[in-house]
Amino acid sequence: MPPQQQQQQQPLQMSSKERTLFQGLIKHYDTKQYKKGLKVAEQILRKHPNHGDTQAMKALILNAQGQEEEAFDLCKVALKNAMKSHVCWHVYGLLWKSIKNYDEAIKAYKFALKLEPDSPQILRDLAVQQVQVRDYQSYIQSRRAILQQKTVRQNNSASRQNWTALAVAQHLAGDLYDAERTLTTFEETLRSSPSKSDNEHHEAVLYKNTLIAETGETERALDHLEAVFKNLLDRTTAMELRAQYLLQLERRQEAEKAYRALLDRNAEYRAYYEGLCRAMAIEEGDIESLKSLYDEYAKKNPRGDTPRRIPLDFLRDEEFRAAADEYLQRMLHKGVPSTFANIKALYTDPAKREAIQSLAHSYVSTTHSPLANGDGEKQVDGENQADDEEKANGDEKVESEKSLFDVSALYFLAQHYNYHLSRDLAKAMEYIDKAIDARPEDVNFHMTKARIWKHQGNLQKASETMEKARSLDERDRYINSKAAKYQLRNNDNAAASENMGKFTKKDTVGGPVGDLIDMQCMWYIYEDGEAYLRQGKRAMALKRFTSVKDIFEIWEEDQYDFHSFSMRKGQIRAYVDMIKWEDRLREHPFFSRAAISAVQIYLQIFDDPTLADESAHNGVNGDLKGMSSIERKKAKRKAKQEQEKREQAEAEKADAKKTARASSDDEPKKEDKDPTGAKLLATTEPLMDTMKFLTPLLEFSSKNIKSQQVGFEVFMRRKKYLLALRCLLAARSIDPSHPIIHEQTIRLRHYLKSLQEPLPPKVSEVFDAEFSPLIPPDADLLEVNYKFLSQNNESAAHVQASLRVRQLLDPKTADDNQKDVIRTLALPLVSLEDATRGLDLLKEWKAESRYQEDYLAAAHERWPEATAFCATQDKLGSIKVLMADKSHVGLGEAAKDAVPTPQPKPPGNPVFRMMGLPNFRFKLPSRNWLIFLSVTGSFTTAILYDRYHKKRAQQRWCNLVSHLAQETLPPNRMPRRITIFLSAPPGDSLRAAREHFHEYVKPVLVAGAMDWDVIEGRQEGDVRAGLAEKIRKRRRKAREKPAALAEGEEEQEGKEDLVQQLRDTVGIKESDAVQGDLILGRHTWKEYVRGLHEGWLGPLDPPPDPVVPETTPTPPNEPLALVDSTSPSPSSPESNEPLIQIPDTEKPPEDPEKLKEEKEEEKPKKPVQKPPYIPPTTNDYSSARLAPSIPETLPPSTVLPFPHLLGFLNTPTRIYRFLNRRYLADETGREVAGIVLASHIRAWNTHEAFASSADPDASPSNTSAAIAQLPGDWEQESVLQDEERDWHKSAWRSYQDEPERILKNSMVIEPRIGGRMRRFEVGTEDYEKVKSDEGKDPAAKGLLERMKEMVGWEEDNQVKGWEHGFVGAESE
């Protein structure tokens, strides 16, 4: 981060313009606009060339651009010009930090603080630097200083992170009580309690609890945890800590409950079971208690694996065999590929290994029948729980399960015999071939076969088989990586890079390998280096191993980002764990392996400096010693020319990339000046370079015996005998019987005996105290070696180490030693690795060709598939090439020649070639396309599925009522007619209600040949007004007269009355069938009920209009007339009329705009909603007079659901409803079918007591009286009440001077009206008929049946087509 500019007295005063430019310079550095920053710096320096702060900032930008030397030189000049500028010293510290010289950076920061003690930026950088170097005491002081700053105290968020950082600093320094006290002090400063969603606070609370536990006060930690437990967000961690505390306090019953609660949350975590066993005080030998415990959880978790796997660890003999049999069958029936990986840990026990082997063999035998309790998911208490449907279809399912079980058993046996504790590679190959024959497309089977080839030593076939497995699933990154790894083991770096390139960026510098290095793919980098090392390409190998080391340095440097980030985000526990992990970072196995290989390369270079000039070895496979001087010169010249060409090509590429990035402001990447590793290899001090790897290796991987062995080799060559002795003693403490330890011990004593000058007295004293007890100075080393050989004559590795020592002590025994190396192949326990080391030993000794030939022949006979021993006597030339390189262990040229070359790929489609089209390759779409197609396909499938079942549901209800349409209707009879009520849903238009009617209601009405009238409402109250007016007309027809009409007067007849009179005249009668009302939605229902009450309880007279001033308009086309003398004068303010009125025919031409306004006024206006005749309150209803003409029962009604939801935030619910419209169609169809059939009509209920108190056979008047006497809510009030939750908020909003609000108010039911209301229902028989047809798919009919239906060909027992006719009631 850039230094913060502070107001101070500068040696050179700048104007406000320059100060603004300097602030912009800092901003440009912050935003990484380095070119603009340099321009601003040059602009300032042209006027003030000795301005130190500007020079320092320019140096900082140059350093960011990779110009380290120029940056340091310029910063030193800036310090010279402004020695007392804290900015210059701050920048100086940042420069030292960039080159990882942390001590000098801390010194510069401290000097900057002396000049500017209150700078928060410098304090933060100093604190981060101190924790980076683990100077915790100084880190505490810096954190205290930051906490005491005024700006920090005023900022609550900064205060929290700084208090927490101080507590962490004290924790890391070991001051646990001070850290707890710091957190407690901060909690006391909080003015208000944090919110429940404050994750930072809850993390700090848990961190404080762990601090208390680390102090050893478990009781207090438990009390604190229980006090804050309810408010913690990380409930799982809190439960785990509580269980641990209870167990430590030996409160076993509570601990048992705690661990059982954890197991209820996660029954697959092994640590919970272990804690539960300790809480229940179950000893390891109490097998019955353990078994009952795990059986309990196995029953609770039928799909669980852990409670079934753990008992296999402690069960013995027949109990183990039974449990293993159940477990294996359960897994193999499912075809779980990881079955063997789950149980291979049991193979350390020979008895269990034999039992598992016999069980597996019994599974593949023809006489074996699976146990009844094999499938754990379908068994409870050992009883078969298969249902009747599985039994009915049992044959096919059992056959498929048996096939899967058999193939899984074969795969298990192949893995069993491939495992090193039960290895029989011939049987493993036999079983895996059978499994592949059964399922040739299974990737796992081919991967296991590749592993078997690898263990047989045939790396070429292993690579080919793994590549075949990769081709079966080209989208799987894991199998792709496995194929690349096996290609690297086969020394095929190019093929491995090509495979990995399928999942890397295409435009990365360095190709796929460059991207893998950027992505820190260590396994590939290490394997790539090992492949180069086996090929003798030490430069590239060393380059790869150095890349691994650089990755760990990057990880160490990445801590800088987390020192501030973790405090800011409150991730305290994770940060502390990260610090502890970073402290032992280089214990990682990849670092140990890469460091050991790099050290071995440096040792080879030290032993043979000519290996550093790899260009002289590449052209002839590294063998120059067998050439003449002229041939050697030619080879070196040719290799040098090729190397120069490669370097020139790479330099041109680098220049092109530099030119492309010249105009970019991005931070430049560090250029790799040694892409081939030649400079690394051409070192003049290999032993000093070795220490870069060896020092962290010995510090962090001291328990690795190979680390101590290579340390011994390095220190022996550096003549650091005490350090060599330390490595030797450390290695002996790890494994005193290791063969290399014996060799190094003899070598050290032999070397000390051969020293011309004695060791210094103090060194000699240490050797006498530590080394002499191992081998006395006067011991006979040959006798010691012979004794070691006689004790370990069955181990090939020990024999080889003994022969190596004998060759060192007595070179005259060379022939015997070489013969003994060949004899090691006859040892019963010799492995392929031992044989390979023996071949390396012969190459190291430069053994005669006959011995090498005999060794290869004997090894090939024992390992016929091993490519390292495939050379025969007629290929001695290839053998020499194979053995020329001492470090070469892998596949040689002879083996490569023996492998058949792959066939070229067939050409493309000839038709496409003739047409000039590319060769189209049919391949799977990419991952992104697969995701897109999966999402869109799933959504489309859901839509089509819902649409299909929606149509089927509607068709079922249409079929139920379709017989009504077939009934004949007399010509003088009107069809049955119902009234449909629609209104616009809240917040939307009437169109939504119309579309809902046409989609869900109309198909059933049409299928039943129904006729209907519609009353629509565009605004709230229209339906109420329409229904009330309809009822008032009915009352007027029943001879009820409004009070406003005088005697003898009659109402003006409307259009409907005229139509009805015309029908009566011609003899057309209304249908005798029951009429009814169909209401769509809860909002329409509330208006419908309100309209019923207003129509039957309200008056026929409209409410009085509000009083308005009367105006007398002048009638048009009047003749000229003088104004009456009694009218107001023209000057009177009461009139604005002219003295003389002119007829329209004599009016002058009017303004066009006025004519347009008049035309608009002439357009038909929307009908004005009539005001309510009666207020909607219970008191008004009860005091209102019931209309005399009201029938005993009102027309039945049906309310249909109309779910209507608006709003963007409700999109998930709307999508769910859209994909489930079939249920709405089925429910709506049922209700509409009920009104069409009109076969079941019942009264609306008021209470459950209605069924007993009201006699359904009683007269309507008696029923109404009974209903009126019942207390409680009416059924009408609760119909579709859930829809109100979906209404738009405008339905509930209150307005000033608002009109009638029916939707907002509660529904009021007057007993005299509610008791007369009826509703339609679908009969039980009709409903059962529809449900019985639900499973029948019309599309499942045969072709013949569908053709018969199309042509109208019906069965004989049905009415023929020509016999159809109209059967009417002519008498009517």
Side-chain angles (χ1 to χ4, degrees):
M1 297 179 64
Q4 182 180 358
Q5 174 69 5
Q6 304 286 346
Q7 298 294 332
Q8 65 168 6
Q9 183 71 21
Q10 296 285 351
L12 296 175
Q13 297 293 330
M14 293 193 304
S15 63
S16 60
K17 179 181 179 180
E18 277 79 18
R19 286 196 297 270
T20 304
L21 288 175
F22 186 76
Q23 296 293 337
L25 173 60
I26 296 177
K27 184 177 181 180
H28 290 321
Y29 176 79
D30 275 337
T31 57
K32 298 185 179 180
Q33 298 179 355
Y34 299 135
K35 289 183 64 177
K36 293 182 180 180
L38 287 178
K39 289 181 181 179
V40 173
E42 293 295 340
Q43 184 178 352
I44 298 175
L45 291 176
R46 277 197 296 268
K47 190 172 183 180
H48 303 285
N50 295 327
H51 189 254
D53 292 356
T54 305
Q55 291 173 333
M57 288 303 304
K58 181 180 179 181
L60 202 57
I61 294 176
L62 292 175
N63 183 71
Q65 291 182 329
Q67 305 177 32
E68 295 178 357
E69 296 182 2
E70 295 85 345
F72 269 95
D73 293 340
L74 184 58
C75 189
K76 291 177 181 178
V77 173
L79 284 173
K80 182 179 179 182
N81 294 328
M83 182 64 68
K84 294 186 178 181
S85 171
H86 71 280
V87 175
C88 297
W89 283 104
H90 192 186
V91 171
Y92 195 51
L94 293 175
L95 294 179
W96 282 118
K97 171 196 167 185
S98 66
I99 62 172
K100 301 178 183 179
N101 193 334
Y102 301 137
D103 294 335
E104 293 296 330
I106 291 175
K107 291 180 183 178
Y109 291 150
K110 289 183 176 179
F111 203 91
L113 276 179
K114 291 181 180 178
L115 300 172
E116 189 66 25
D118 297 331
S119 173
Q121 184 63 60
I122 301 175
L123 271 173
R124 283 195 294 268
D125 287 347
L126 175 61
V128 169
Q129 195 65 63
Q130 288 168 340
V131 72
Q132 181 71 16
V133 298
R134 305 298 190 263
D135 185 3
Y136 294 129
Q137 297 300 330
S138 302
Y139 181 48
I140 293 174
Q141 297 177 4
S142 299
R143 280 298 173 185
R144 287 187 185 277
I146 293 174
L147 196 59
Q148 292 171 358
Q149 289 182 338
K150 182 178 180 180
T151 56
V152 173
R153 293 196 302 269
Q154 293 176 351
N155 190 347
N156 292 332
S157 59
S159 178
R160 174 192 290 275
Q161 64 182 355
N162 283 286
W163 279 96
T164 305
L166 177 59
V168 170
Q170 294 168 337
H171 178 201
L172 295 175
D175 301 333
L176 301 178
Y177 289 102
D178 291 344
E180 179 194 353
R181 192 179 303 110
T182 300
L183 293 175
T184 304
T185 304
F186 170 71
E187 292 174 357
E188 294 173 352
T189 59
L190 295 177
R191 298 178 180 177
S192 60
S193 59
S195 64
K196 294 182 179 180
S197 61
D198 190 350
N199 185 57
E200 298 178 11
H201 172 72
H202 297 300
E203 184 69 20
V205 170
L206 272 179
Y207 175 62
K208 178 181 177 181
N209 184 262
T210 56
L211 285 176
I212 299 174
E214 286 187 28
T215 60
E217 300 183 25
T218 310
E219 185 72 34
R220 190 162 64 92
L222 178 60
D223 296 340
H224 174 263
L225 182 63
E226 291 180 344
V228 300
F229 185 84
K230 293 183 179 179
N231 298 325
L232 292 177
L233 298 179
D234 191 354
R235 190 59 57 87
T236 302
T237 302
M239 293 175 66
E240 290 175 351
L241 290 174
R242 182 175 179 274
Q244 294 174 10
Y245 297 158
L246 291 172
L247 191 59
Q248 293 174 8
L249 295 172
E250 296 186 355
R251 294 161 62 174
R252 299 188 179 275
Q253 293 183 353
E254 298 179 54
E256 179 183 350
K257 293 181 181 179
Y259 277 111
R260 287 188 181 275
L262 287 169
L263 284 172
D264 291 339
R265 295 170 68 95
N266 182 8
E268 296 296 317
Y269 193 23
R270 194 182 186 108
Y272 293 164
Y273 289 101
E274 296 174 354
L276 180 59
C277 291
R278 291 196 301 270
M280 297 177 66
I282 301 178
E283 301 294 337
E284 294 182 1
D286 191 357
I287 296 178
E288 293 183 1
S289 300
L290 290 172
K291 188 175 184 303
S292 62
L293 174 64
Y294 288 107
D295 288 344
E296 173 189 351
Y297 278 96
K299 293 177 182 179
K300 287 183 179 180
N301 302 278
R303 295 178 179 269
D305 180 76
T306 304
R308 292 176 174 83
R309 168 60 185 85
I310 295 179
L312 299 181
D313 294 334
F314 58 79
L315 292 177
R316 295 289 184 272
D317 302 331
E318 291 302 324
E319 290 184 348
F320 170 79
R321 185 180 180 88
D325 187 19
E326 180 181 355
Y327 181 81
L328 289 176
Q329 287 200 49
R330 178 176 181 271
M331 303 294 280
L332 296 180
H333 274 295
K334 294 180 182 180
V336 179
S338 60
T339 303
F340 181 78
N342 288 347
I343 68 167
K344 66 181 181 181
L346 302 173
Y347 278 38
T348 54
D349 188 340
K352 293 183 178 181
R353 182 170 67 243
E354 293 297 330
I356 293 173
Q357 178 176 322
S358 64
L359 286 173
H361 275 290
S362 68
Y363 298 154
V364 299
S365 64
T366 57
T367 60
H368 172 74
S369 59
L371 295 178
N373 57 354
D375 192 349
E377 289 187 9
K378 299 177 182 177
Q379 306 299 324
V380 179
D381 297 334
E383 297 180 359
N384 192 354
Q385 299 296 326
D387 54 13
D388 295 338
E389 183 180 352
E390 290 178 345
K391 290 179 180 179
N393 303 326
D395 294 340
E396 182 180 353
K397 185 174 182 181
V398 167
E399 185 65 26
S400 62
E401 287 185 357
K402 184 176 183 299
S403 176
L404 178 61
F405 179 83
D406 293 341
V407 175
S408 301
L410 292 172
Y411 179 53
F412 181 85
L413 276 174
Q415 293 176 295
H416 167 80
Y417 284 114
N418 189 41
Y419 192 52
H420 68 95
L421 293 178
S422 55
R423 181 160 295 169
D424 189 340
L425 298 178
K427 290 184 178 180
M429 187 63 72
E430 174 187 355
Y431 286 116
I432 199 61
D433 286 338
K434 291 180 180 179
I436 291 175
D437 291 340
R439 295 174 64 182
E441 300 299 325
D442 196 297
V443 177
N444 295 315
F445 295 173
H446 290 277
M447 292 175 63
T448 301
K449 186 174 182 179
R451 295 188 184 97
I452 296 172
W453 282 122
K454 179 188 72 171
H455 294 151
Q456 288 183 349
N458 197 331
L459 300 178
Q460 178 69 22
K461 289 186 178 180
S463 177
E464 292 174 355
T465 306
M466 192 64 76
E467 176 65 18
K468 182 178 180 180
R470 184 200 65 80
S471 65
L472 296 176
D473 190 358
E474 295 183 351
R475 301 294 177 181
D476 192 336
R477 188 188 295 266
Y478 171 76
I479 182 60
N480 183 81
S481 302
K482 272 292 182 181
K485 184 176 182 179
Y486 273 63
Q487 287 166 340
L488 290 175
R489 296 284 176 87
N490 193 36
N491 300 333
D492 194 353
N493 302 73
S497 177
E498 181 181 357
N499 261 345
M500 296 299 293
K502 295 179 173 64
F503 290 92
T504 58
K505 294 182 180 179
K506 307 300 181 183
D507 55 348
T508 308
V509 178
V513 179
D515 185 56
L516 291 170
I517 292 176
D518 291 342
M519 298 300 294
Q520 301 177 351
C521 184
M522 287 193 297
W523 73 264
Y524 182 88
I525 301 171
Y526 169 73
E527 292 291 346
D528 197 32
E530 288 291 333
Y532 281 123
L533 183 57
R534 289 191 294 269
Q535 299 172 61
K537 299 178 181 179
R538 297 176 181 82
M540 286 302 299
L542 190 59
K543 179 72 176 177
R544 296 290 182 260
F545 299 144
T546 305
S547 298
V548 175
K549 179 181 72 70
D550 294 341
I551 289 174
F552 282 89
E553 291 179 356
I554 292 173
W555 287 359
E556 185 177 14
E557 190 175 358
D558 285 345
Q559 295 179 79
Y560 277 106
D561 298 330
F562 291 96
H563 293 319
S564 301
F565 172 82
S566 299
M567 297 298 106
R568 187 168 64 254
K569 295 298 182 181
Q571 304 297 326
I572 314 170
R573 293 179 297 145
Y575 171 73
V576 173
D577 293 339
M578 185 269 295
I579 290 293
K580 295 178 180 179
W581 176 78
E582 288 278 1
D583 290 341
R584 47 185 176 82
L585 175 63
R586 288 176 176 81
E587 293 180 4
H588 199 283
F590 274 124
F591 178 81
S592 302
R593 298 172 192 171
I596 291 171
S597 298
V599 170
Q600 290 173 349
I601 293 175
Y602 280 120
L603 290 177
Q604 292 175 10
I605 296 173
F606 179 81
D607 295 339
D608 187 2
T610 60
L611 297 176
D613 188 9
E614 199 172 60
S615 62
H617 296 260
N618 289 338
V620 290
N621 205 18
D623 189 6
L624 296 177
K625 297 183 179 179
M627 298 182 179
S628 62
S629 59
I630 298 176
E631 292 175 346
R632 190 181 299 111
K633 290 180 181 179
K634 288 182 180 181
K636 288 182 178 181
R637 191 183 304 112
K638 182 179 179 180
K640 186 175 182 181
Q641 291 174 357
E642 293 177 355
Q643 183 70 16
E644 289 176 353
K645 289 180 181 179
R646 288 195 297 269
E647 291 178 355
Q648 184 178 359
E650 292 172 357
E652 291 176 357
K653 291 181 181 178
D655 292 339
K657 291 172 184 176
K658 282 184 180 180
T659 305
R661 294 196 301 262
S663 60
S664 176
D665 285 334
D666 295 338
E667 185 177 356
K669 294 183 179 180
K670 292 184 178 181
E671 182 184 356
D672 190 358
K673 300 180 180 179
D674 186 21
T676 61
K679 295 182 180 178
L680 281 175
L681 192 65
T683 177
T684 57
E685 297 180 349
L687 294 181
M688 294 302 297
D689 294 337
T690 300
M691 299 308 297
K692 293 184 295 185
F693 293 90
L694 185 62
T695 301
L697 187 64
L698 294 177
E699 181 179 358
F700 298 103
S701 298
S702 57
K703 298 300 181 181
N704 188 342
I705 193 168
K706 290 186 177 180
S707 303
Q708 303 296 341
Q709 290 168 358
V710 296
F712 174 85
E713 298 294 342
V714 171
F715 291 131
M716 284 296 294
R717 286 165 176 77
R718 293 186 62 189
K719 298 182 180 180
K720 303 290 185 179
Y721 303 121
L722 281 179
L723 296 178
L725 177 61
R726 186 181 67 179
C727 290
L728 181 62
L729 294 176
R732 289 183 67 88
S733 65
I734 298 172
D735 186 3
S737 62
H738 197 279
I740 296 180
I741 300 301
H742 166 73
E743 177 192 347
Q744 291 180 342
T745 303
I746 299 294
R747 281 175 52 201
L748 180 57
R749 177 54 70 187
H750 177 69
Y751 190 83
L752 292 176
K753 286 184 177 181
S754 61
L755 287 176
Q756 297 180 356
E757 296 181 0
L759 295 172
K762 293 185 179 180
V763 176
S764 179
E765 182 179 351
V766 174
F767 268 91
D768 292 340
E770 301 293 339
F771 190 56
S772 295
L774 300 178
I775 298 182
D778 55 350
D780 186 356
L781 299 182
L782 284 173
E783 183 66 25
V784 174
N785 185 56
Y786 177 77
K787 183 178 180 181
F788 176 82
L789 178 60
S790 60
Q791 293 175 352
N792 302 278
N793 55 4
E794 297 295 332
S795 172
H798 289 79
V799 172
Q800 291 169 1
S802 178
L803 294 177
R804 192 188 296 271
V805 171
R806 190 167 70 181
Q807 180 76 11
L808 173 66
L809 299 178
D810 189 4
K812 296 179 181 181
T813 59
D815 290 342
D816 296 337
N817 295 334
Q818 294 170 14
K819 293 177 183 179
D820 290 340
V821 170
I822 297 174
R823 293 189 186 101
T824 58
L825 297 176
L827 294 174
L829 300 179
V830 64
S831 63
L832 182 60
E833 292 77 10
D834 295 333
T836 306
R837 283 195 297 266
L839 182 60
D840 294 339
L841 188 57
L842 290 178
K843 290 188 294 182
E844 180 183 348
W845 289 343
K846 300 177 183 178
E848 298 179 8
S849 59
R850 58 190 179 93
Y851 292 121
Q852 299 178 19
E853 184 179 337
D854 293 342
Y855 189 90
L856 286 173
H860 180 69
E861 182 179 0
R862 185 157 186 174
W863 294 279
E865 295 293 342
T867 54
F869 312 127
C870 65
T872 55
Q873 297 184 11
D874 57 346
K875 294 185 178 181
L876 282 180
S878 298
I879 294 175
K880 290 181 180 180
V881 174
L882 177 65
M883 300 181 179
D885 190 1
K886 296 178 182 179
S887 65
H888 184 67
V889 181
L891 188 64
E893 296 297 331
K896 292 179 181 178
D897 294 338
V899 177
T901 58
Q903 296 294 330
K905 295 182 178 180
N909 194 320
V911 178
F912 291 159
R913 288 204 310 274
M914 293 176 64
M915 297 173 63
L917 297 175
N919 184 22
F920 296 102
R921 295 178 58 192
F922 296 98
K923 57 182 181 180
L924 291 174
S926 64
R927 183 191 64 176
N928 294 338
W929 271 108
L930 284 175
I931 295 173
F932 171 75
L933 293 176
S934 300
V935 174
T936 56
S938 301
F939 193 77
T940 305
T941 303
I943 293 176
L944 296 178
Y945 177 84
D946 180 73
R947 184 177 300 174
Y948 170 74
H949 285 280
K950 172 191 166 188
K951 290 182 178 179
R952 289 192 60 191
Q954 286 184 338
Q955 188 61 41
R956 289 194 299 269
W957 295 110
C958 290
N959 294 339
L960 180 65
V961 301
S962 60
H963 68 279
L964 299 176
Q966 304 299 327
E967 296 179 358
T968 57
L969 184 68
N972 61 344
R973 178 73 58 140
M974 292 291 295
R976 180 180 170 216
R977 175 177 300 186
I978 63 174
T979 305
I980 297 173
F981 295 86
L982 303 178
S983 66
D988 208 341
S989 64
L990 181 61
R991 181 179 179 181
R994 288 174 175 175
E995 291 177 351
H996 186 83
F997 169 76
H998 283 283
E999 184 174 1
Y1000 295 98
V1001 183
K1002 185 177 179 181
V1004 184
L1005 295 178
V1006 173
M1010 295 291 296
D1011 194 8
W1012 62 83
D1013 293 329
V1014 180
I1015 295 180
E1016 293 183 339
R1018 297 182 179 273
Q1019 61 182 347
E1020 187 175 351
D1022 285 355
V1023 172
R1024 184 270 312 161
L1027 177 59
E1029 184 62 25
K1030 181 180 178 181
I1031 295 174
R1032 284 192 288 269
K1033 286 183 178 180
R1034 181 176 176 181
R1035 291 171 59 185
R1036 294 188 186 104
K1037 288 182 182 180
R1039 305 304 179 183
E1040 289 188 39
K1041 291 187 179 181
L1045 290 177
E1047 294 184 1
E1049 295 184 0
E1050 294 185 358
E1051 285 188 292
Q1052 187 178 359
E1053 294 183 348
K1055 180 180 178 181
E1056 295 178 358
D1057 299 329
L1058 295 176
V1059 172
Q1060 185 62 38
Q1061 290 178 6
L1062 181 61
R1063 288 175 180 172
D1064 294 339
T1065 303
V1066 298
I1068 298 177
K1069 300 180 179 181
E1070 293 290 339
S1071 174
D1072 294 335
V1074 63
Q1075 307 297 314
D1077 298 333
L1078 191 150
I1079 301 96
L1080 194 63
R1082 169 76 176 180
H1083 58 290
T1084 312
W1085 174 244
K1086 295 184 77 171
E1087 293 195 41
Y1088 175 85
V1089 174
R1090 177 75 178 92
L1092 282 179
H1093 286 76
E1094 180 181 338
W1096 292 113
L1097 296 178
L1100 294 177
D1101 299 322
D1105 296 331
V1107 179
V1108 295
E1110 296 184 357
T1111 58
T1112 306
T1114 304
N1117 301 327
E1118 283 280 329
L1120 271 174
L1122 295 176
V1123 180
D1124 189 6
S1125 59
T1126 60
S1127 62
S1129 63
S1131 59
S1132 174
E1134 298 179 2
S1135 175
N1136 293 325
E1137 300 292 333
L1139 295 176
I1140 300 177
Q1141 300 208 1
I1142 303 175
D1144 292 342
T1145 55
E1146 300 180 4
K1147 287 184 179 180
E1150 296 183 358
D1151 189 7
E1153 294 184 358
K1154 188 174 182 181
L1155 290 174
K1156 185 176 180 181
E1157 293 178 358
E1158 290 180 356
K1159 289 182 179 180
E1160 291 180 355
E1161 292 177 357
E1162 291 177 0
K1163 293 181 180 179
K1165 297 182 179 180
K1166 296 180 180 179
V1168 180
Q1169 182 184 124
K1170 294 185 178 181
Y1173 283 33
I1174 181 173
T1177 60
T1178 306
N1179 296 330
D1180 293 327
Y1181 284 166
S1182 60
S1183 60
R1185 184 178 67 87
L1186 187 65
S1189 59
I1190 187 171
E1192 293 295 334
T1193 59
L1194 297 177
S1197 59
T1198 292
V1199 189
L1200 301 183
F1202 182 22
H1204 188 74
L1205 186 62
L1206 299 176
F1208 177 76
L1209 297 180
N1210 296 320
T1211 300
T1213 305
R1214 296 170 68 183
I1215 292 175
Y1216 175 79
R1217 292 180 178 179
F1218 178 76
L1219 297 178
N1220 291 275
R1221 294 184 298 172
R1222 56 189 182 274
Y1223 303 114
L1224 178 61
D1226 185 64
E1227 183 180 358
T1228 305
R1230 184 186 66 213
E1231 297 295 337
V1232 178
I1235 194 173
V1236 172
L1237 295 175
S1239 59
H1240 290 77
I1241 302 174
R1242 69 169 179 85
W1244 293 88
N1245 298 332
T1246 58
H1247 197 269
E1248 294 180 357
F1250 173 78
S1252 59
S1253 62
D1255 185 5
D1257 298 329
S1259 63
S1261 58
N1262 295 336
T1263 304
S1264 302
I1267 295 174
Q1269 293 174 3
L1270 287 175
D1273 298 331
W1274 289 83
E1275 182 185 358
Q1276 294 95 314
E1277 297 178 3
S1278 61
V1279 173
L1280 300 180
Q1281 196 168 8
D1282 293 340
E1283 289 188 5
E1284 294 188 5
R1285 294 180 298 185
D1286 295 343
W1287 287 354
H1288 192 261
K1289 58 185 178 181
S1290 60
W1292 311 103
R1293 192 174 296 162
S1294 299
Y1295 301 95
Q1296 187 175 5
D1297 299 332
E1298 62 181 4
E1300 180 186 12
R1301 299 300 302 276
I1302 301 175
L1303 304 185
K1304 178 182 174 183
N1305 299 328
S1306 300
M1307 183 182 296
V1308 179
I1309 304 293
E1310 213 283 329
R1312 291 174 292 174
I1313 301 297
R1316 287 177 166 82
M1317 296 177 67
R1318 296 292 184 267
R1319 66 172 300 173
F1320 291 104
E1321 280 188 349
V1322 175
T1324 306
E1325 296 179 358
D1326 297 330
Y1327 184 78
E1328 294 297 333
K1329 181 180 178 182
V1330 171
K1331 287 305 177 182
S1332 64
D1333 295 338
E1334 185 174 354
K1336 300 178 181 179
D1337 190 356
K1341 294 183 179 180
L1343 177 61
L1344 183 60
E1345 287 78 1
R1346 282 183 282 170
M1347 291 179 65
K1348 287 181 179 181
E1349 291 180 359
M1350 291 173 61
V1351 300
W1353 188 0
E1354 301 181 355
E1355 299 297 335
D1356 294 337
N1357 56 354
Q1358 297 180 356
V1359 181
K1360 305 297 188 294
W1362 57 82
E1363 295 178 353
H1364 282 291
F1366 294 99
V1367 181
E1370 288 81 8
S1371 61
E1372 298 179 359

